């Protein structure tokens, strides 16, 4: 029997549940760390997960402790990060290489028992084997980084673009790091949290402000990215896209969030508005970037909690304290 966090809307408990058993093509992982993100708040609020109770935790990495009989290339003791995405492979979108839009989409930690536990089962096909120098407790950053990589996949590939990013939490800071490496001329950050803005400055952004009004950009920005999901930020960002520019909705909004748009301005300025949902053929690339040192774990991970403190960790994240908060089962 294992200890696991069990969530129903409005309640969190740590309970003893049966150990997972690997299927023929599965492994069982002992998580070294599991990250908390906005999706976990949505689950706590009764969204995303199709049924409750659920063991959360879709960002995790750890050690393989059991392997299925048909697993090849992985063994007990391997350190791995796990892509939580579970695609059917046969629906309309999967056949068109759009698995993140799968009509039968599932995910570890969202629709199936996740990594906020002592043990979790996962398909061997979803594993990224960690190099010896990358600790599993730091490799928990690979999953959110893979979402950021997917975000850049839908953006234009132009050198010397000027970026404006709303939100300097974990995802905004990851977008900052990727923009710097993608050839951005400038990357400006907007956030209401002074501590997070200071981290953005530490990572080398061009400007870190509490309002885009503080920035001089008479032609607007080439790329505007919302990492907040907050309607006021989205509304402000849409108005600041320059001619021929792109607005990326990356932050996860509440289901009932609404923002007015100006169709004439989209037409006149030839603005592209696009979105990016989770992971799509980006997990291994994020693992390679992480192994190459694109992110500094000591900067990105601000708090680590034991498993039985998951409720406190989640509430701290909800309050906007720190950067990436992880739980170590």
């Amino acid at each position: 029997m294992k200890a696991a966090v069990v969530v129903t809307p409005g309640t969190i408990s740590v309970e003893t549940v049966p150990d997972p058993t690997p299927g023929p093509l599965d492994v069982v992982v002992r998580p070294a760390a599991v990250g908390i993100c906005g999706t976990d708040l949505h689950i706590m609020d009764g969204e995303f997960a199709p049924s409750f109770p659920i063991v959360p935790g879709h960002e995790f990495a750890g050690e393989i402790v059991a392997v299925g009989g048909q697993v090849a290339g992985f063994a007990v003791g391997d350190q791995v990060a796990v892509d939580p995405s579970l695609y059917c492979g046969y629906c309309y979108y999967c056949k068109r290489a759009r698995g993140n839009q799968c009509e039968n989409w599932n995910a570890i930690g969202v629709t199936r028992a996740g990594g906020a536990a002592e043990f979790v089962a996962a398909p061997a096909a979803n594993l990224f084997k960690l190099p010896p120098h990358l600790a599993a407790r730091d490799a928990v950053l690979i999953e959110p980084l893979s979402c950021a990589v997917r975000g850049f996949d839908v953006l234009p590939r132009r050198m010397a673009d000027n970026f404006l990013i709303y939100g300097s939490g974990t995802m905004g800071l990851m977008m900052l790091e990727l923009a710097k490496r993608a050839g951005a001329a400038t990357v400006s950050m907007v956030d209401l949290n002074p501590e997070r803005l200071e981290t953005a400055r530490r990572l080398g952004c061009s400007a870190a402000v509490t309002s885009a009004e503080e920035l001089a950009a008479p032609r607007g920005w080439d790329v505007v990215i919302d990492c907040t999901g907050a309607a006021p930020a989205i509304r402000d960002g849409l108005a600041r896209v320059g001619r021929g520019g792109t607005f990326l909705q990356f932050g996860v909004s509440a289901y009932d969030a609404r923002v007015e748009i100006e169709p004439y301005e989209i037409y006149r300025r030839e603005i592209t508005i696009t979105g990016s949902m989770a992971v799509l053929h980006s997990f291994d690339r994020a693992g390679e970037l992480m192994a190459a040192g694109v992110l500094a774990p000591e900067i990105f991970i601000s708090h680590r909690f034991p498993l039985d403190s998951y409720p406190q960790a989640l509430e701290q994240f909800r309050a906007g304290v720190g950067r990436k908060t992880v739980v170590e089962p």
Side-chain angles (χ1 to χ4, degrees), residues 1-325:
M1 303 291 282
K2 66 170 181 177
V5 172
V6 179
V7 170
T8 57
T11 65
I12 306 175
S13 59
V14 178
E15 302 178 10
T16 299
V17 299
D19 292 342
T21 301
L25 294 173
D26 298 335
V27 303
V28 173
V29 175
R30 178 188 291 116
V34 55
I36 292 177
C37 85
T39 298
D40 297 300
L41 293 182
H42 283 278
I43 291 172
M44 183 65 184
D45 294 339
E47 301 172 346
F48 283 14
S51 62
F52 293 95
I54 185 73
V55 177
H58 60 281
E59 303 176 356
F60 65 99
E63 179 181 354
I64 296 176
V65 296
V67 297
Q70 297 179 29
V71 172
F74 294 95
V76 171
D78 285 347
Q79 304 292 304
V80 295
V82 182
D83 179 353
S85 306
L86 303 172
Y87 310 144
C88 73
Y90 57 80
C91 74
Y92 179 92
Y93 294 104
C94 283
K95 287 185 175 181
R96 285 155 179 78
R98 298 298 299 269
N100 64 339
Q101 300 298 320
C102 174
E103 295 173 325
N104 305 292
W105 183 87
N106 282 277
I108 300 169
V110 181
T111 65
R112 300 186 186 180
E118 291 181 302
F119 301 103
V120 58
N126 289 45
L127 305 181
F128 176 80
K129 190 178 293 186
L130 303 179
H133 70 275
L134 180 56
R137 68 195 301 260
D138 295 334
V140 67
L141 293 171
I142 290 176
E143 196 281 340
L145 180 59
S146 71
C147 295
V149 171
R150 167 60 187 158
F152 265 79
D153 284 346
V154 305
L155 288 174
R157 292 168 175 80
R158 294 188 299 250
M159 298 296 291
D161 271 353
N162 295 287
F163 282 68
L164 177 64
I165 300 175
Y166 287 78
S168 56
T170 302
M171 300 314 303
L173 295 175
M174 287 186 178
M175 287 294 196
L176 163 63
E177 292 290 59
L178 293 182
K180 287 159 51 181
R181 288 161 177 79
T186 65
V187 187
S188 299
M189 309 291 293
V190 180
D191 201 299
L192 299 177
N193 186 316
E195 180 185 353
R196 289 181 171 179
L197 289 176
E198 183 55 39
T199 303
R201 294 186 188 99
R202 182 180 176 186
L203 291 176
C205 69
S206 306
V209 298
T210 57
S211 170
E213 289 290 340
E214 302 174 47
L215 302 170
R219 295 183 180 85
W221 275 266
D222 302 304
V223 179
V224 177
I225 304 174
D226 173 69
C227 294
T228 70
I234 297 167
R235 189 178 300 112
D236 191 68
L238 283 167
R240 299 185 187 279
V241 182
R243 298 183 184 188
T246 300
F247 179 89
L248 171 62
Q249 185 55 51
F250 185 78
V252 182
S253 297
Y255 283 176
D256 60 355
R258 297 291 183 271
V259 175
E260 292 183 355
I261 63 172
E262 299 179 69
Y264 177 76
E265 286 302 305
I266 297 171
Y267 154 79
R268 184 181 72 83
R269 289 187 279 150
E270 293 193 342
I271 293 172
T272 298
I273 300 175
T274 188
S276 169
M277 194 288 214
V279 183
L280 183 64
H281 309 307
S282 54
F283 198 85
D284 281 15
R285 287 182 288 151
E288 291 167 3
L289 287 169
M290 190 72 197
V294 165
L295 304 182
E298 67 276 10
I299 295 177
F300 275 81
I301 300 175
S302 61
H303 294 82
R304 299 179 187 268
F305 289 83
L307 185 67
D308 59 5
S309 294
Y310 188 95
Q312 297 94 308
L314 189 67
E315 287 311 304
Q316 176 175 290
F317 176 82
R318 189 189 294 274
V321 176
R323 295 172 297 282
K324 174 56 67 178
T325 294

